[in-house]
């Protein structure tokens, strides 16, 4: 588990760097014509498979790893669209992972209900705010959150 946490921490740290430098990534990708639509589609499917495994095993990483990979695969997309797509992808992904864990008996129903009571209003507020927040500010918020969580995973919460 320590290896997974450290690996995810590094992925989150690298994701924060990718999000921070998204405009530069976009400029570089415009100059390169190496990616075909077929290759991007295949890589996106492989990414989905990988994220499914990671989420089911750890409950962490899909957003972080997914956002980084989507930035690299689709650098011309706005950060809002990448985040929105990643969240929309997370719903069925976590539903199926949750069903799997429910069938295994590893779900605490009371904890689940309490989390949902707080999360649903948070999602509604967050989605309203994300459509009104400036892209640069949203990128900065995402970078800071990813850095903090990544560093906590890397250093096991002892230094951050």
């Amino acid at each position: 588990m320590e290896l997974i946490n450290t690996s995810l921490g590094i992925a989150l740290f690298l994701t924060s760097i990718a999000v921070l430098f998204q405009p530069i990534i976009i400029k570089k990708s415009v100059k390169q014509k190496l990616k075909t639509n077929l290759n991007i589609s295949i890589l996106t499917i492989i990414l989905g498979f990988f994220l499914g495994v990671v989420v089911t095993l750890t409950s962490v990483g899909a957003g972080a790893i997914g956002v980084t990979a989507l930035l690299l695969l689709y650098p011309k997309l706005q950060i809002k669209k990448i985040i929105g797509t990643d969240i929309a992808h997370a719903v069925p992904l976590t539903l199926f992972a949750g069903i799997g864990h429910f069938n295994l008996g590893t779900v605490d129903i009371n904890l689940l209900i309490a989390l949902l009571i707080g999360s649903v209003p948070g999602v509604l507020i967050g989605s309203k705010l994300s459509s009104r927040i400036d892209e640069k500010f949203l990128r900065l918020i995402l970078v800071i959150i990813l850095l903090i969580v990544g560093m906590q995973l890397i250093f096991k919460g002892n230094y951050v």
Side-chain angles (χ1 to χ4, degrees):
M1 191 61 156
E2 188 174 319
L3 176 64
I4 291 173
N5 284 343
T6 302
S7 299
L8 287 173
I10 291 168
L12 289 170
F13 177 79
L14 294 175
T15 299
S16 69
I17 301 302
V19 171
L20 185 63
F21 292 107
Q22 182 195 17
I24 295 169
I25 293 170
I26 292 169
K27 285 180 187 174
K28 292 217 180 255
S29 73
V30 169
K31 294 178 184 175
Q32 296 179 356
K33 296 280 186 178
L34 300 176
K35 297 183 229 173
T36 66
N37 287 338
L38 178 62
N39 288 342
I40 291 172
S41 295
I42 291 169
L43 290 172
T44 304
I45 291 168
I46 293 168
L47 171 66
F49 176 81
F50 175 74
L51 293 175
V53 171
V54 170
V55 166
T56 304
L57 288 176
T58 66
S59 180
V60 182
I65 297 168
V67 165
T68 301
L70 290 173
L71 274 171
L72 296 173
L73 291 172
Y74 302 92
K76 294 178 188 176
L77 277 181
Q78 292 179 331
I79 192 78
K80 291 177 185 180
K81 288 203 176 206
I82 288 175
I83 291 169
T85 302
D86 190 58
I87 290 171
H89 162 259
V91 171
L93 177 68
T94 54
L95 172 66
F96 287 114
I99 289 170
H101 279 282
F102 188 79
N103 288 334
L104 292 171
T106 56
V107 175
D108 183 312
I109 297 297
N110 293 326
L111 178 59
L112 173 63
I113 291 169
L115 284 170
L116 287 173
I117 289 170
S119 297
V120 171
V123 165
L124 295 173
I125 292 168
S127 62
K128 291 276 187 198
L129 288 174
S130 73
S131 66
R132 295 183 176 141
I133 295 176
D134 178 61
E135 177 103 5
K136 290 177 184 176
F137 185 67
L138 186 59
R139 183 180 293 114
L140 179 62
I141 291 170
L142 184 59
V143 166
I144 291 168
I145 291 169
L146 292 171
L147 273 174
I148 290 170
V149 175
M151 297 310 274
Q152 285 182 334
L153 285 169
I154 292 169
F155 297 110
K156 288 115 188 116
N158 296 329
Y159 304 106
V160 178

